[in-house]
């Protein structure tokens, strides 16, 4: 673990460095508060900080105030080092945002113990952060394919429609469905059907452009959000996607299999609601199915 030491007392700083390095910590040190603040604003800042109260440029409390005023996560664990031992000073330091304090001159054993408390707290915060990210991913993504789930992809569509209203850009939305998907499950089993879904997801991810977004909105049904289709009619890019899927063998439990998809596309116009957009894409998908499947139909072409 990296620890930042900020102390303008050369002797105190060297003693701190020696004790911490002996205990296996990587130490970053500075002699003034402004440099400490700049280090904490950099890339991958130390998660545990020992700040002297009295320092040039910025004192320890000023550094703490700046750190606590920022919204960056995760926040560092701060140990305030001070020769002030009045209760009012200790209270002020803790109320400002210090997590703990250590009085000068410090006892090496007490220093190690308080740093160990900070290390455990940082570890707990990191574990909680990882668990929160896992829960967030589970709440927003389909567990089988890893694509956005229905709620999340519709939330993304809401945001894209709002952006379209502001910037007057171009937005195409496709609703795709695997043709005769039930046959895969009936003939080969549901594991093979799952393999097809995962293989299709990989094709989507390999052939998507920077801002394309895919979501699974039903069993074998997907929503494709494609902003900024300007050079060619949107059906051209969706046709490329459809053809790529059709030409790609998917590895499955039952061997390499191919499938086809039908896609209904609509170009979003200003003032349309999400329900309007989905209804038009669904109508175009219905037309694609009626015309023999394995094709792309744009809503504007199907009416």
């Amino acid at each position: 673990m990296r620890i930042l030491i900020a102390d303008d007392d050369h002797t105190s700083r060297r003693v701190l460095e020696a004790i911490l390095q002996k205990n296996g910590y990587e130490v970053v040190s500075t002699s003034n508060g402004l440099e400490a603040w700049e280090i904490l604003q950099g890339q991958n800042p130390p998660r545990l900080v020992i700040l002297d109260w009295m320092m040039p440029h910025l004192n320890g409390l000023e550094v703490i105030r700046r750190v606590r005023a920022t919204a960056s996560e995760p926040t560092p664990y701060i140990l305030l080092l001070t020769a002030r031992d009045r209760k009012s000073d200790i209270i002020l330091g803790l109320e400002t945002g210090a997590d703990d304090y250590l009085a000068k001159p410090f006892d090496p054993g007490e220093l190690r113990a308080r740093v160990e408390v900070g290390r455990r707290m940082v570890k707990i915060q990191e574990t909680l952060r990882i668990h929160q990210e896992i829960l967030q991913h589970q709440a927003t993504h389909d567990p089988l394919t890893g694509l956005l789930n229905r709620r999340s992809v519709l939330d993304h569509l809401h945001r894209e429609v709002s952006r379209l209203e502001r910037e007057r850009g171009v937005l195409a939305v496709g609703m795709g469905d695997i043709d005769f998907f039930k046959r895969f499950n009936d003939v080969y089993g549901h594991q093979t059907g799952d393999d097809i879904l995962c293989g299709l997801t990989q094709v989507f991810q390999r052939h998507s452009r920077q801002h394309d977004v895919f979501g699974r909105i039903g069993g074998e049904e997907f929503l494709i959000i494609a902003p900024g289709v300007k050079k060619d009619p949107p059906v051209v890019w969706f046709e490329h996607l459809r053809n790529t899927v059709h030409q790609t063998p998917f590895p499955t439990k039952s061997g390499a299999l191919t499938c086809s998809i039908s896609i209904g596309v609509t170009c979003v116009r200003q003032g349309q609601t999400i329900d309007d957009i989905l209804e038009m894409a669904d109508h175009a998908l219905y037309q694609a199915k009626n015309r023999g499947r394995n094709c792309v139909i744009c809503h504007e072409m199907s009416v």
Side-chain angles (χ1 to χ4, degrees):
M1 176 179 287
R2 296 167 66 230
I3 298 180
L4 170 63
I5 298 172
D7 191 340
D8 64 332
D9 186 313
H10 178 79
T11 301
S12 175
R13 191 170 66 253
R14 292 306 180 197
V15 171
L16 285 167
E17 291 174 358
I19 293 173
L20 294 174
Q21 288 171 346
K22 184 177 180 180
N23 283 269
Y25 294 102
E26 179 185 349
V27 176
V28 180
S29 62
T30 182
S31 60
N32 70 78
L34 183 59
E35 287 185 1
W37 166 246
E38 291 173 349
I39 292 170
L40 291 172
Q41 293 305 293
Q43 293 291 325
N44 191 28
R47 295 289 310 282
L48 204 156
V49 182
I50 300 176
L51 293 178
D52 188 25
W53 187 316
M54 301 304 298
M55 289 186 294
H57 305 305
L58 287 177
N59 66 38
L61 292 191
E62 291 170 330
V63 175
I64 292 172
R65 289 190 184 98
R66 290 192 179 191
V67 169
R68 299 311 186 208
T70 62
S72 60
E73 292 287 346
T75 58
Y77 185 95
I78 300 177
L79 176 62
L80 185 62
L81 191 63
T82 176
R84 304 185 180 200
D85 57 0
R86 294 182 303 176
K87 284 189 176 181
S88 59
D89 292 326
I90 295 170
I91 292 171
L92 176 60
L94 294 174
E95 287 181 340
T96 300
D99 295 289
D100 199 357
Y101 75 94
L102 183 63
K104 283 185 175 182
F106 55 83
D107 177 79
E110 183 180 4
L111 170 67
R112 287 191 293 268
R114 293 188 183 273
V115 168
E116 174 60 19
V117 171
R119 187 198 66 79
R120 291 200 302 266
M121 291 301 298
V122 169
K123 185 66 176 178
I124 290 171
Q125 289 175 352
E126 180 65 15
T127 300
L128 288 174
R129 183 188 65 80
I130 292 172
H131 287 169
Q132 288 172 346
E133 289 180 354
I134 292 173
L135 291 174
Q136 176 66 20
H137 187 274
Q138 291 175 342
T140 57
H141 289 73
D142 174 58
L144 175 63
T145 64
L147 296 176
L148 292 178
N149 60 25
R150 182 182 182 89
R151 183 185 67 182
S152 295
V153 75
L154 291 181
D155 286 344
H156 187 86
L157 180 57
H158 274 281
R159 292 193 294 272
E160 286 294 335
V161 170
S162 296
R163 190 168 67 86
L164 181 70
E165 295 286 345
R166 295 193 306 272
E167 301 177 8
R168 298 183 180 276
V170 179
L171 177 64
V173 175
M175 190 173 291
D177 186 89
I178 301 176
D179 297 328
F180 303 112
F181 182 70
K182 187 175 182 298
R183 292 182 184 177
F184 289 104
N185 288 328
D186 292 344
V187 174
Y188 299 103
H190 288 277
Q191 179 60 58
T192 296
D194 289 348
D195 292 341
I196 292 289
L197 289 167
C198 293
L200 182 63
T201 297
Q202 292 176 9
V203 170
F204 285 164
Q205 293 171 337
R206 285 198 302 266
H207 294 274
S208 64
R209 299 159 305 174
Q210 183 178 2
H211 301 294
D212 297 331
V213 172
F214 298 84
R216 185 182 179 193
I217 58 175
E220 67 271 21
E221 198 167 66
F222 300 86
L223 195 68
I224 307 165
I225 302 171
V229 183
K230 293 182 178 179
K231 293 182 180 179
D232 299 307
V235 70
V236 173
W237 181 79
F238 284 97
E239 176 62 28
H240 168 73
L241 186 65
R242 178 210 62 77
N243 185 61
T244 302
V245 170
H246 188 52
Q247 298 297 323
T248 302
F250 299 143
T252 75
K253 181 183 179 182
S254 305
L257 297 172
T258 58
C259 73
S260 64
I261 58 173
S262 301
I263 306 176
V265 181
T266 185
C267 292
V268 180
R269 299 186 181 89
Q270 299 217 357
Q272 289 179 322
T273 67
I274 299 299
D275 288 341
D276 293 336
I277 296 166
L278 296 178
E279 182 179 355
M280 288 186 291
D282 188 57
H283 177 76
L285 174 61
Y286 179 79
Q287 295 297 319
K289 294 289 187 180
N290 278 348
R291 295 190 189 186
R293 295 177 168 81
N294 192 23
C295 65
V296 178
I297 296 294
C298 189
H299 178 266
E300 287 71 15
M301 300 162 49
S302 68
V303 294

